[in-house]
């Protein structure tokens, strides 16, 4: 009987089965027509198993150090476990140990995208909903700015938050910073824009009005007199929007009093164009897409906006009656979008 080098997978399975049936190694060798030494070596190697992992002694954390970690977690919301421990001058603690310690006093959270509403905010949101409850929202032009970056949307920050603490608000950088600032509007089933704010321009009152002069006014002047008479212009409470300079400029264009919608504070959830921004961002950043230039991300925004049809926009603008009823039902609280 010749000795072969290696056992096949089928032979190994048979050896295990024969051992389970109580066969000796010698009998198995005869059944498989293999050398007895080969069978015996396989059985011995299988019985030895893997060597146990030798764990290094873990760094012990004192009660004093635990108190320091707890204070650091409270002072450094959304920080990583490593940053928290390093701020306490505690070194040599593996990540799984750091996380196990922090789970007893904190939890991993994302930054809040919306600021908390106080009593005044909620009352103003309710007053706004009551004021416009009978409005024909197909006549409202909803406007807003959106910032798009090369790497993806803002608000992805995650980190440890002490128990009982709120996650800090992470505001989106709409004015200044990297990326492209985009302005657009929606009315009924029509998309106005998008228009790109010139790179490096910070939207103060003067630059905002000049921007509207160069973009929005070109669209507005083509509309009929009856359209202009009934249209209501909506913008949020950004300082460049609500300044005396901007208000006067809009008034000279006939957009004043009831034709200029008042807007409650902290209310992005009530503006349907925010949902349009979500649609565009999902499209331009799908599958983790990133960009290497501002022009390329702007081209992606234009292409994504072109793919948004009138029915989608109409669905957003027709959602306003439901939003007003929801904010009243929630007594001024945030509504789902």
């Amino acid at each position: 009987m010749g000795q072969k080098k290696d056992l096949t997978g089928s032979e190994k399975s048979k050896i295990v089965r024969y051992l389970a049936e109580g066969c000796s190694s010698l009998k198995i060798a005869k059944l498989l027509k293999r050398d007895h030494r080969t069978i015996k070596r396989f059985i011995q190697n299988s019985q030895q198993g893997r060597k146990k992992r030798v764990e290094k002694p873990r760094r012990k954390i004192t009660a004093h150090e635990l108190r320091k970690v707890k204070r650091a977690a409270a002072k450094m919301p959304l920080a990583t476990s490593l940053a928290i421990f390093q701020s306490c001058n505690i070194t040599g603690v593996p990540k799984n140990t750091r996380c196990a310690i922090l789970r007893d006093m904190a939890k991993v959270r994302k930054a809040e995208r919306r600021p908390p509403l106080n009593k005044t905010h909620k009352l103003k949101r309710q007053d706004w909903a009551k004021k416009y409850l009978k409005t024909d929202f197909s006549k409202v032009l909803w406007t807003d700015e959106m910032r798009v970056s090369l790497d993806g949307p803002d608000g992805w920050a995650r980190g440890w938050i002490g128990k009982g603490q709120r996650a800090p608000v992470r505001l989106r950088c709409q004015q200044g910073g990297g990326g492209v600032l985009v302005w657009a509007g929606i009315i009924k089933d029509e998309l106005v824009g998008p228009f790109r704010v010139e790179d490096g321009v910070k939207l103060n009152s003067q630059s905002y009005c000049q921007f509207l002069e160069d973009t929005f006014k070109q669209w507005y002047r083509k509309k009929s007199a009856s359209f202009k008479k009934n249209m209501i212009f909506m913008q949020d409470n950004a300082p460049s929007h609500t300044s005396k300079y901007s208000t006067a400029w809009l008034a000279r264009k006939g957009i004043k009093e009831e034709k200029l919608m008042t807007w409650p504070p902290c209310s992005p959830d009530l503006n349907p164009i925010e949902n349009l921004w979500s649609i565009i961002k999902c499209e331009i950043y799908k599958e983790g897409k990133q960009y290497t230039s501002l022009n390329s991300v702007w081209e992606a925004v234009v292409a994504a906006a072109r793919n948004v049809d009138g029915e989608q926009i109409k669905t957003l603008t027709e959602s306003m009656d439901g939003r007003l009823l929801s904010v009243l039902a929630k007594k001024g609280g945030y509504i789902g979008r």
Side-chain angles (χ1 to χ4, degrees), residues 93-322:
V93 182
K95 182 179 179 180
N96 59 343
T97 304
R98 296 196 304 266
C99 292
I101 291 170
L102 285 169
R103 284 191 200 101
D104 293 332
M105 61 184 72
K107 54 187 175 182
V108 175
R109 290 280 305 278
K110 274 188 176 183
E112 292 286 346
R113 295 290 298 275
R114 304 188 293 196
L117 296 172
N118 59 34
K119 186 177 180 181
T120 302
H121 294 154
K122 292 180 180 179
L123 288 174
K124 288 185 177 181
R125 283 164 60 90
Q126 291 180 81
D127 291 341
W128 177 85
K130 291 172 184 176
K131 178 179 179 180
Y132 290 102
L133 199 56
K134 295 181 180 180
T135 301
D136 181 359
F137 289 111
S138 67
K139 310 294 185 186
V140 178
L141 175 65
W142 307 93
T143 72
D144 192 25
E145 293 94 13
M146 168 186 71
R147 176 182 170 273
V148 287
S149 64
L150 302 181
D151 299 328
D154 304 316
W156 285 85
R158 292 173 65 92
W160 290 95
I161 296 291
K163 288 185 177 179
Q165 284 187 297
R166 289 183 62 93
V169 176
R170 187 179 179 88
L171 298 178
R172 290 172 291 175
C173 300
Q174 289 190 338
Q175 300 186 11
V180 175
L181 187 62
V182 181
W183 182 96
I186 55 175
I187 181 169
K188 196 175 181 179
D189 59 356
E190 183 180 357
L191 172 61
V192 183
F195 299 110
R196 178 179 179 177
V197 178
E198 186 179 348
D199 296 342
V201 173
K202 184 176 181 180
L203 284 187
N204 54 29
S205 301
Q206 290 78 12
S207 59
Y208 174 63
C209 293
Q210 185 59 52
F211 175 80
L212 293 181
E213 181 79 34
D214 298 336
T215 54
F216 161 73
K217 186 181 174 183
Q218 309 305 316
W219 169 85
Y220 186 64
R221 67 169 41 161
K222 296 176 183 178
K223 296 299 181 179
S224 65
S226 61
F227 178 91
K228 295 176 182 177
K229 180 181 178 181
N230 296 318
M231 191 199 81
I232 300 173
F233 187 84
M234 174 270 155
Q235 59 183 359
D236 62 23
N237 295 322
S240 59
H241 299 172
T242 58
S243 68
K244 290 182 180 180
Y245 184 95
S246 299
T247 303
W249 184 90
L250 289 169
R252 290 196 297 271
K253 308 302 177 185
I255 302 173
K256 57 184 177 179
E257 299 173 350
E258 294 303 315
K259 288 176 58 62
L260 181 60
M261 179 178 280
T262 57
W263 193 247
C266 304
S267 299
D269 56 323
L270 300 180
N271 190 351
I273 201 173
E274 292 286 349
N275 299 83
L276 175 68
W277 295 145
S278 296
I279 293 170
I280 291 176
K281 284 187 174 182
C282 285
E283 178 62 26
I284 67 175
Y285 295 122
K286 66 181 179 182
E287 299 176 355
K289 174 78 172 175
Q290 292 182 315
Y291 299 88
T292 56
S293 69
L294 298 181
N295 286 335
S296 62
V297 72
W298 165 243
E299 290 169 2
V301 169
V302 173
R306 196 179 296 124
N307 290 331
V308 179
D309 58 39
E311 284 302 314
Q312 287 177 286
I313 296 172
K314 190 176 180 181
T315 299
L316 297 180
T317 56
E318 287 183 346
S319 69
M320 287 310 303
D321 291 320

